[in-house]
Amino acid sequence: MASVSLDTINPKVLKCEYAVRGEIVTLAQALQEELKSKPGSHSFDEILYCNIGNPQSLGQQPITFFREVLALCDHPSILDKSQTRSLFSADAIKRARQILDQIPGRATGAYSHSQGIKGLRDTIAAGIEARDGFPADPNDIFLTDGASPAVHLMMQLLIRSEKDGILCPIPQYPLYSASIALRGGTLVPYYLDEAAGWGLEVSELKKQWADAKSKGITPRALVVINPGNPTGQVLAENNQREIVDFCKKEGLVLLADEVYQENVYVPEKKFHSFKKVARSMGYGEKDISVVSFQSVSKGYYGECGKRGGYMEVTGFGPEIREQIYKLASVNLCSNISGQILSSLVMSPPKVGDESYESFSAEKDGILSSLARRAKTLEDAFNTLEGVTCNKAEGAMYLFPCISLPEKAIKAAEAVKTTPDNFYCRRLLNATGIVFVPGSGFRQAPGTWHCRCTILPQEDKIPAVVSRLTEFHRSFMEEFRE
Amino acid sequence: MASVSLDTINPKVLKCEYAVRGEIVTLAQALQEELKSKPGSHSFDEILYCNIGNPQSLGQQPITFFREVLALCDHPSILDKSQTRSLFSADAIKRARQILDQIPGRATGAYSHSQGIKGLRDTIAAGIEARDGFPADPNDIFLTDGASPAVHLMMQLLIRSEKDGILCPIPQYPLYSASIALRGGTLVPYYLDEAAGWGLEVSELKKQWADAKSKGITPRALVVINPGNPTGQVLAENNQREIVDFCKKEGLVLLADEVYQENVYVPEKKFHSFKKVARSMGYGEKDISVVSFQSVSKGYYGECGKRGGYMEVTGFGPEIREQIYKLASVNLCSNISGQILSSLVMSPPKVGDESYESFSAEKDGILSSLARRAKTLEDAFNTLEGVTCNKAEGAMYLFPCISLPEKAIKAAEAVKTTPDNFYCRRLLNATGIVFVPGSGFRQAPGTWHCRCTILPQEDKIPAVVSRLTEFHRSFMEEFRE
C-alpha cells in the first residue's frame, strides 16, 4: 500500500469539516440500515432527515413543467412523434425546441462553453433583469454544478494564504468554513444578533474587520447569506445598503449567497438581490464587486440532485474575469441538464402558457406549505423548556437556541463531545429525527443550537412535533439538577 | 471596485494553464462569431473543433437506449402511460423502473449519498467485475461530475506543498498539470518514447523518480493515462505489470486515467485495468493503492455534457477513505443523470434485451468509424513534409510531430509565441480547423507537435485532409529557407 497516512496527506483536508454530512448523518445512515435489516429494532420506524435542505428526499414532488422539458431535451427524437403531444404539455414541447435551438448542433451531450450555453445565459440574464429592474449581462453568468463549485471557485481565486480573510456570518453555512479551510485562508467571523432576529449589524462588521486587520489579516471578501442559512432571516433593504457601502468603502468582494431568493414566507419582507441594491444606490461595475450565487436546489423547485446553478460576476476587471474563466474551463463545463434547469427556474411558465395554471398551483402549494410548516415548527420549539426560536422569515431552516442543563453539558464532556452534538445524538437515537448540531455552523460561545429543516411533508409534522416534544421533556428530566 | 488585481489573487491560479480551452479556442470562437455575423468573411464556412474530445459537438449521435432511460428517469410520471410503451423500448422502461427503485423515495431530484446512489454503485461494481474478472466493492466507488473533479479531489488529498511530486507522462493531458499547479505541487515529468510508439519505459520512471528525490521532492503518485491522451497508445499488459511493481516498491499511489477504456482500435491490443493487472499479480488491498478514473464523456457514448463519471478507490486505510468521503461530501453529490448514465455505460443492454441489436449497431458503428477516421488522419499526417505521426491505437487523438523550418521558428519568436502555437494559429486562420499546440501538453524539448481529435464525422474527413494538406504545403513553402 502506498505511504498515504493522516500524517502525510494535505493538512488542510484534515482541518476541513462539513457538519451537514458529518457524524450525526453517518449514525443516521447506520440506523436506517438496522431498520431495514431488523424492522422493529427501534422505537421509530423511519429516519426523518431534517439535516439538509433536500426537499425531494422528504417527498416534495418536482415541478412537472421543468421535468417535462428536461425529459424532452434528454431524448429529442420523440419531439416529432404524435404520442408525445398527448404525454407532454404543448408549452413544454415548445420550450424544449427553443432550448435545443440554442444549443450548438442541438447537442445536449456535448461539452458547452465553459460558462454555459450562451442561449441559456441569455434567458437567465433576462430573468435577472425582470427580477431586479436593472440590466444583466449574459457574459457575467457562469453556470455551475450547483452553487457549491461557484463558491469554491471564488475562494480559490481570492485566497493566497492564512493572511487572507473572508468575513462570514456566524452562524454560517459550513460550505464557507470548509471551502476557506481547504484553501488555507482565515474565516473572519461576524456574529448575527440572535436577540434581534439574527440581525446583521454593520457596527459588528466594522469591529471584526478592524480586529482582523490588527492581527495582520487582509479581509478580501464578505459573505452574506440572504435569506439566511441556518438562521432564516431576510435582510431589510436598508440594511443591505449599509452592507454595500461597507464593502465599497473597504474594497471587499461581496459574495452574496442568494440561493433562497424564492423562499420568503412573511408578507412584510421581500427578497432584494445585492446587485439590485448596489445599482439602485447608483453604484456600477467600477464601484463594487458583487458575486451572486443561485442554485436549482432550493426555492420551490428543490432540484438538488440536478446540480444546477450559476454565479453572476460583476465589478471585476477583464484580466480577473479571464482568470475566473480559466478556472471554470479546467472542469470544462457544468452538466447540461442542470444548465437547462437553471434557465427554467429563471424563466418559468408565464400567464397564458398552457402550463401556467398547473405550474402556479404546484409552486404556490409548495411555498405556502413551507410557510405553514415553518410556523408550526417554530411554535413547537418555543413551547419547549429552555428553548427559544426565531422566526424563519425565509430559507428552509430553524435554528433554535437550547439552554442545556449543566448536568447534560457534563455528560457530553464525559463522552468527549459537544453538548449540542450530545443532544442531537440522543434525539436521533430516541426518535429517528436528524438535526445538525449548532457547532457545525458555529455559534456564539456558550450558546447551543441545532438546525432543523422545515421540509418534512405536512402530514408528518404532527409526529415530528410530538416525538420532539416528548424527547425534549424526558431529556430535560434526565439532566435536571 | 474591490481591490482584486492580478497582484492580489492566488498566484497558483495565475500559474495554472489549460490549453484545450486556451488561446486558440478563444480565437476560434471569435472566428465563429464572424462567420455568423458576416458569412463569407473567411475562406472556410465553418469552424471544425478538433481541439477537444467532444464527439457530440461534431455530430455524433447519442446512444438511443441511454437517452431513453435518462428521459424516463427525468419524468417518471409517464412510465405508466400507454403512449410511453409506443415511444420507448420495453427494456428502457424496465431499466428506468429498476433504477428508480434503487433511488431512495424514487427521488431523482434529491441529493444522493455523497459517493452516489448505492444501487447504481452496485451496478457499476458488477460491471467492473464482469470486465476484470476480479471482485469490485460498491463502497470503493465515488460517482463524480465527469472524471475531472475526481482527479482534483485526489490531488487535493495528496499535495501538501511544492515538495510533493506527482509523476506525469509527457506529453500529458493538461488537467493534470492544471490540477497540480492549482494545489501548489510539483509535476515530475516522465517522457514517453515517441520513437517507440509513445512507449512507457520503467527505466525512465526510475530515472525521473530518482532525479525528483535528489531535488528534495517526495513523489506521491504516478499518473498513467491508458489508452493515452494525447498520444493514443495502448499499454501492453506486461508493461503494466512493471508499472504496478514500480508503484508498489516506491509506495506511489497509482492514478490510472482509464477514461478511454472502450476506445481501442487495433486488434493486437486490449484494454486491461490497472486494478485487474495488480490483482492478477496477486497484489491486494494491502499491497498497492490504485485509483481508477472512468467517465461517460468518452468511449462510444461520448456524453460529455452529462458530466458523469466515477473513481474506484482501492488500497487506502479506513482513515484515509474517511477523508476522501469528507471531500466528496463538501460538494454534496454529483448530478443524478450523470450517476444514472455511469451505471448504464457499465451495464449496457445484453443479448436478448429488446434494445440489444440496435444498441450494438450504434456502438459498433461509432467505434469502427472512429478506427477508420484514426487511420485516415494518421496516414494523411504521415504524407505531410516533415511530419511523423504514431498510430492511434486507442483514445480519440493523434499527436503528430512537426519539424518546423528555422524560419517559422524565428517568425514565431518575433510574435512572441511558441512555434507550435504559431502553426496552429495559422492553420486555424487559413482553414477553420482547430488543433491544440503540443506545448499545452508539454513535449520533449526542441520538438513540436499538435493534438488533433479523430472526431470529425466521416463525411468531413476528406475536407479536413485536403484543407490540412494544402495549408501545410503552403506553410512549408512560405518558411522554406
Side-chain angles (χ1 to χ4, degrees), chain A residues 1 8 10 13 16 21 54 67 74 83 86 108 111-112 114 156 220 286-287 305-306 315 326 336, chain B residues 1 8 10 13 16 21 54 67 74 83 86 108 111-112 114 156 220 286-287 305-306 315 326 336:
Chain A
M1 191 151 51
T8 62
N10 180 354
V13 171
C16 158
R21 288 257 162 138
N54 194 8
R67 291 304 192 98
D74 266 343
Q83 302 97 309
S86 65
T108 53
Y111 294 127
S112 71
S114 293
Q156 186 158 44
R220 306 294 308 275
K286 300 227 177 278
D287 300 306
K306 295 294 172 189
K326 184 173 71 182
I336 306 295
Chain B
M1 192 150 52
T8 62
N10 181 355
V13 171
C16 158
R21 289 257 161 138
N54 194 8
R67 292 304 192 97
D74 266 344
Q83 303 95 308
S86 64
T108 53
Y111 293 126
S112 72
S114 292
Q156 186 158 46
R220 306 294 309 276
K286 301 227 178 277
D287 300 305
K306 294 294 172 188
K326 185 174 69 182
I336 305 296

Side-chain angles (χ1 to χ4, degrees), chain B residues 45-63:
Chain B
D45 56 9
E46 66 170 337
I47 302 293
L48 262 177
Y49 287 99
C50 302
N51 59 303
I52 191 165
N54 194 8
Q56 295 191 31
S57 76
L58 294 174
Q60 183 175 307
Q61 292 304 303
I63 299 290

Side-chain angles (χ1 to χ4, degrees), chain A residues 412-472:
Chain A
E413 262 169 34
V415 293
K416 296 197 167 71
T417 191
T418 59
D420 52 353
N421 207 47
F422 182 76
Y423 181 89
C424 289
R425 208 194 280 165
R426 283 291 200 99
L427 172 71
L428 171 59
N429 278 315
T431 66
I433 300 172
V434 190
F435 286 178
V436 186
S439 312
F441 307 88
R442 305 203 187 177
Q443 50 202 343
T447 68
W448 305 108
H449 298 77
C450 55
R451 189 184 81 163
C452 163
T453 71
I454 59 171
L455 297 174
Q457 290 294 293
E458 267 189 293
D459 58 355
K460 303 232 163 143
I461 296 284
V464 172
V465 169
S466 69
R467 280 147 77 178
L468 171 67
T469 305
E470 172 54 23
F471 161 78
H472 187 80

Side-chain angles (χ1 to χ4, degrees), chain B residues 29-332:
Chain B
Q29 285 165 346
L31 288 176
Q32 188 162 33
E33 287 301 310
E34 283 174 31
L35 284 174
K36 214 163 139 189
S37 58
K38 279 186 261 168
S41 55
H42 293 276
S43 62
F44 43 88
D45 56 9
E46 66 170 337
I47 302 293
L48 262 177
Y49 287 99
C50 302
N51 59 303
I52 191 165
N54 194 8
Q56 295 191 31
S57 76
L58 294 174
Q60 183 175 307
Q61 292 304 303
I63 299 290
T64 306
F65 176 81
F66 294 168
R67 292 304 192 97
E68 287 183 312
V69 176
L70 287 183
L72 291 167
C73 289
D74 266 344
H75 193 40
S77 58
I78 64 172
L79 272 170
D80 296 321
K81 303 274 174 68
S82 61
Q83 303 95 308
T84 301
R85 289 198 295 276
S86 64
L87 275 177
F88 294 84
S89 63
D91 53 340
I93 293 173
K94 191 176 154 205
R95 183 71 75 97
R97 285 189 201 280
Q98 282 171 354
I99 288 171
L100 288 166
D101 286 343
Q102 289 170 332
I103 302 178
R106 303 167 69 90
T108 53
Y111 293 126
S112 72
H113 186 287
S114 292
Q115 289 185 237
I117 292 160
K118 175 64 167 54
L120 300 177
R121 286 187 278 130
D122 291 341
T123 305
I124 290 169
I128 294 171
E129 285 190 12
R131 181 193 70 195
D132 291 351
F134 288 96
D137 184 342
N139 294 321
D140 292 345
I141 309 291
F142 287 74
L143 284 152
T144 49
D145 291 310
S148 303
V151 170
H152 289 308
L153 190 154
M154 290 309 300
M155 295 299 175
Q156 186 158 46
L157 180 81
L158 292 172
I159 295 174
R160 292 162 295 184
S161 74
E162 71 284 357
K163 295 282 175 198
D164 281 327
I166 308 291
L167 279 150
C168 288
I170 300 298
Q172 52 102 35
Y173 182 58
L175 168 66
Y176 295 98
S177 50
S179 189
I180 293 167
L182 285 173
R183 309 300 160 202
T186 295
L187 188 155
V188 178
Y190 66 89
Y191 289 86
L192 301 175
D193 184 357
E194 184 163 14
W198 298 114
L200 197 172
E201 293 297 330
V202 172
S203 58
E204 165 73 4
L205 289 181
K206 286 180 180 161
K207 188 184 123 202
Q208 299 294 352
W209 181 89
D211 188 50
K213 289 287 266 191
S214 76
K215 291 176 182 155
I217 290 164
T218 310
R220 306 294 309 276
L222 170 73
V223 172
V224 181
I225 311 174
N226 181 45
N229 175 5
T231 44
Q233 87 285 20
V234 177
L235 296 178
E237 194 173 357
N238 200 37
N239 196 189
Q240 292 185 271
R241 288 169 174 261
E242 296 174 314
I243 296 165
V244 166
D245 267 329
F246 174 72
C247 288
K248 181 173 181 298
K249 176 154 174 273
E250 305 304 352
L252 294 169
V253 177
L254 177 46
L255 299 173
D257 182 334
E258 301 181 326
V259 302
Y260 297 100
Q261 56 189 264
E262 301 269 8
N263 299 97
V264 178
Y265 308 120
V266 292
E268 67 272 23
K269 289 287 182 78
K270 197 174 162 331
F271 168 77
H272 304 282
S273 80
F274 269 102
K275 195 189 105 196
K276 168 187 162 181
V277 171
R279 295 291 177 271
S280 71
M281 295 167 77
Y283 298 149
E285 273 284 318
K286 301 227 178 277
D287 300 305
I288 182 166
S289 309
V290 181
V291 182
S292 166
F293 302 100
Q294 164 66 322
S295 166
V296 303
S297 304
K298 310 302 171 187
Y300 56 89
Y301 17 93
E303 290 279 17
C304 304
K306 294 294 172 188
R307 312 310 288 122
Y310 70 80
M311 58 177 180
E312 185 190 11
V313 176
T314 58
F316 293 90
E319 74 290 356
I320 299 298
R321 290 288 294 267
E322 205 176 291
Q323 299 298 319
I324 296 173
Y325 173 79
K326 185 174 69 182
L327 283 175
S329 78
V330 176
N331 277 336
L332 294 164

Side-chain angles (χ1 to χ4, degrees), chain A residues 173-195:
Chain A
Y173 182 59
L175 168 65
Y176 295 98
S177 50
S179 189
I180 294 166
L182 285 174
R183 310 299 160 202
T186 295
L187 188 155
V188 179
Y190 66 87
Y191 288 86
L192 301 175
D193 184 356
E194 183 163 13

